[in-house]
Amino acid sequence: MKIAILALQGAFAEHEQMLRLLGVETTLIREHWEDVSGLIIPGGESTAMMRIMKDEGLFEPLRQAILDGLPVLGTCAGLIMLDRNHLNVMDITARRNAYGRQLGSFNTEADFEGIGRVPMTFIRAPYIEKAGPEVEILARIDGKSVAARQRNMLVTAFHPELTNDTRIHKLFLSMVARQNTCSEVAQLHV
Amino acid sequence: MEDRTTLNRQLAQMLKGGVIMDVTTPEQAKIAEAAGACAVMALERIPADIRAAGGVSRMSDPKMIRGIQEAVTIPVMAKCRIGHFAEAQILEAIEIDYIDESEVLSPADDVYHIDKRKFRVPFVCGAKDLGEALRRINEGATMIRTKGEPGTGDIIQAVRHMRLMQSEIRRLVSLNDDELYEAAKQLRVPFDLVQYVHENGKLPVVNFAAGGVATPADAAMMMQLGAEGVFVGSGIFKSGNPEKRAQAIVKAVTNYDNPAVLASLSEDLGEAMVGINESEIQLLMAERGK
């Protein structure tokens, strides 16, 4: 299993470190990629990442790969990039800078569906303003949705890569493992 | 470590691999954001003009900074004078995302830097070497940048600072545990910061290049020397085609280790800013605040 991490701008090294801790092979991608089982879109500035992504010709290939079922984890800016107004693969609308400027950044702990209490770090973070019927909301803070899943896509408005808690990454890896098993089964049926 | 300090260090982590651009108007801020800047530095005059104008240079008008905050969604930084804690308080009151306690402005205090631990907003500070960097971090800075000579378009000083800092870090890593106490004494910094560098081989905060960056090649060179991102001051809006140059420098930081991409980025950029060689300048701003 090899996981690609989008390395255009932002905190990609932190995800790399987290996956290494879990003994998973990673590759940083900037132009093209091959042979990966999953993708992480890290935190950073979504406007910067979108701009570079378009200029590098990554926008369409990435969008298509995700629509074709490539498991993807988007954290903070990564959540924004997957929403209706950006890559338009996930049926959510993100509200950018939803907690204001840096003075509004905070740490907290909240329940995460299927995992339990999870430490959460929000840095100039978004939240999910609207979500379609297919989207499963996994965590809420003060009634606002801050984590969700839809088919092969998992997003968090906070930064699991900045804490010592590996459970969100493990959840993503289990989605990757399941997807791989499914495609093997599908191949067998061909 | 206090929650706030950690959150402020983490915001700097989100800026990594990015370019922070000096802007003087909301229009310039929008150009910078569209070009892919990860943050902007709002200031009334860019360093090249501050240098040309001479006289005392101070914090920008808060109204002007607000105008830029309203124009973009990316983080907005602003500069205060070294030691001028009241200017910093004002910048905190307008909810700036990062304060640059900067040698580009005239220093307000030639002994004391701002006690940055007293603030909730984060600070970035310049450093020419490891001792300076760790002293600023001890005072509460949550991001460090080189102190390359602002407004000159000459990269030599930023290169010197980054090389020196990296070689001093390598030296600390190679020391025996019992030699660290003496190193802390020589660097005039607390032992725990020296120990952190010894164990991790890097600063405890993000380290950017700043001062004299004018071309995509300058940016790429600084990244290869160990910078985690780049500040560009006068280099963009003092050049012939700011929009194109801004985009090129953003992409150069992402592709800093890919010469083929850098070659195509460096084509047809128009005129670079007119540079001033380090030997031609009267005032060495890097000597302010040590």
Side-chain angles (χ1 to χ4, degrees), chain A residues 15-57:
Chain A
H15 279 290
E16 194 180 23
Q17 208 176 343
M18 194 64 142
L19 290 180
R20 268 197 204 137
L21 202 70
L22 293 170
V24 176
E25 199 187 338
T26 57
T27 175
L28 297 179
I29 59 163
R30 287 174 192 151
E31 297 157 278
H32 51 83
W33 69 93
E34 45 197 31
D35 232 13
V36 300
S37 332
L39 169 74
I40 294 181
I41 306 183
E45 277 306 317
S46 57
T47 51
M49 280 196 248
M50 280 307 285
R51 172 79 217 199
I52 305 167
M53 188 192 262
K54 284 182 179 160
D55 289 348
E56 307 263 332

Side-chain angles (χ1 to χ4, degrees), chain A residues 99-111:
Chain A
Y99 298 94
R101 302 183 187 282
Q102 174 61 6
L103 283 174
S105 294
F106 63 101
N107 280 312
T108 189
E109 216 181 76
D111 285 322

Side-chain angles (χ1 to χ4, degrees), chain B residues 51-268:
Chain B
R51 189 175 283 284
V56 175
S57 177
R58 311 176 178 89
M59 174 189 78
S60 298
D61 183 338
K63 188 174 166 189
M64 172 264 164
I65 298 170
R66 271 185 217 270
I68 288 171
Q69 284 176 315
E70 279 157 23
V72 295
T73 59
I74 54 179
V76 177
M77 303 183 166
K79 291 180 193 291
C80 73
R81 285 181 264 179
I82 290 175
H84 208 315
F85 50 83
E87 283 187 350
Q89 289 161 358
I90 291 169
L91 292 174
E92 182 171 64
I94 62 168
E95 296 198 20
I96 203 76
D97 290 301
Y98 241 97
I99 296 176
D100 184 3
E101 186 183 16
S102 176
E103 70 282 3
V104 173
L105 306 181
S106 308
D109 193 319
D110 55 4
V111 180
Y112 301 104
H113 277 75
I114 296 172
D115 179 359
K116 293 166 274 289
R117 299 188 193 216
K118 288 225 171 82
F119 289 78
R120 296 182 69 243
V121 286
F123 281 81
V124 54
C125 286
K128 300 188 296 295
D129 53 42
L130 183 60
E132 219 173 298
L134 295 179
R135 286 195 290 281
R136 297 296 87 78
I137 292 166
N138 189 42
E139 292 156 4
T142 50
M143 180 177 182
I144 291 294
R145 56 169 177 77
T146 59
K147 253 171 142 180
E149 212 39 41
T152 61
D154 188 358
I155 197 71
I156 185 169
Q157 302 240 358
V159 168
R160 196 181 288 151
H161 303 162
M162 189 57 76
R163 278 198 183 274
L164 180 56
M165 205 179 300
Q166 300 295 348
S167 95
E168 288 178 303
I169 289 173
R170 287 193 296 272
R171 183 182 156 266
L172 272 196
V173 170
S174 72
L175 291 183
N176 274 329
D177 287 353
D178 60 359
E179 293 166 340
L180 296 177
Y181 301 97
E182 177 59 22
K185 228 189 301 175
Q186 284 172 8
L187 290 167
R188 295 188 284 138
V189 297
F191 175 76
D192 59 337
L193 286 176
V194 170
Q195 195 178 31
Y196 180 93
V197 175
H198 172 69
E199 284 170 3
N200 296 280
K202 62 186 186 75
L203 296 179
V205 304
V206 166
N207 187 13
F208 268 46
V213 177
T215 66
D218 289 345
M221 181 187 191
M222 293 310 300
M223 293 295 289
Q224 289 186 38
L225 286 173
E228 297 179 280
V230 172
F231 283 86
V232 187
S234 319
I236 288 172
F237 290 101
K238 276 285 168 193
S239 74
N241 188 345
E243 211 162 335
K244 191 164 182 196
R245 188 166 291 266
Q247 287 170 24
I249 294 179
V250 166
K251 280 183 259 175
V253 168
T254 298
N255 297 291
Y256 69 93
D257 54 358
N258 188 336
V261 173
L262 294 171
S264 70
L265 290 177
S266 304
E267 282 177 11
D268 289 330

Side-chain angles (χ1 to χ4, degrees), chain A residues 8 21 25 32 44 50 63 65 74 122 132 149 172 175 183 190:
Chain A
L8 302 178
L21 202 70
E25 199 187 338
H32 51 83
M50 280 307 285
R63 185 179 135 75
F122 291 82
R149 178 170 48 197
F172 173 60
M175 286 168 61
S183 42
V190 168

Side-chain angles (χ1 to χ4, degrees), chain A residues 113-177:
Chain A
E113 190 68 36
I115 291 184
R117 298 294 278 182
V118 168
M120 300 179 180
T121 297
F122 291 82
I123 312 263
R124 284 176 48 95
Y127 59 62
I128 299 166
E129 206 161 36
K130 286 185 213 143
E134 226 192 279
V135 178
E136 182 191 0
I137 301 299
L138 301 174
R140 282 190 178 84
I141 290 187
D142 298 331
K144 308 292 186 198
S145 306
V146 295
R149 178 170 48 197
Q150 180 186 2
R151 296 193 306 273
N152 53 325
M153 295 168 276
L154 177 66
V155 291
T156 64
F158 54 92
H159 292 279
E161 78 281 11
L162 295 180
T163 63
N164 297 320
D165 196 308
T166 56
R167 288 175 295 172
I168 307 270
H169 284 82
K170 281 184 182 156
L171 171 65
F172 173 60
L173 293 174
S174 75
M175 286 168 61
V176 174

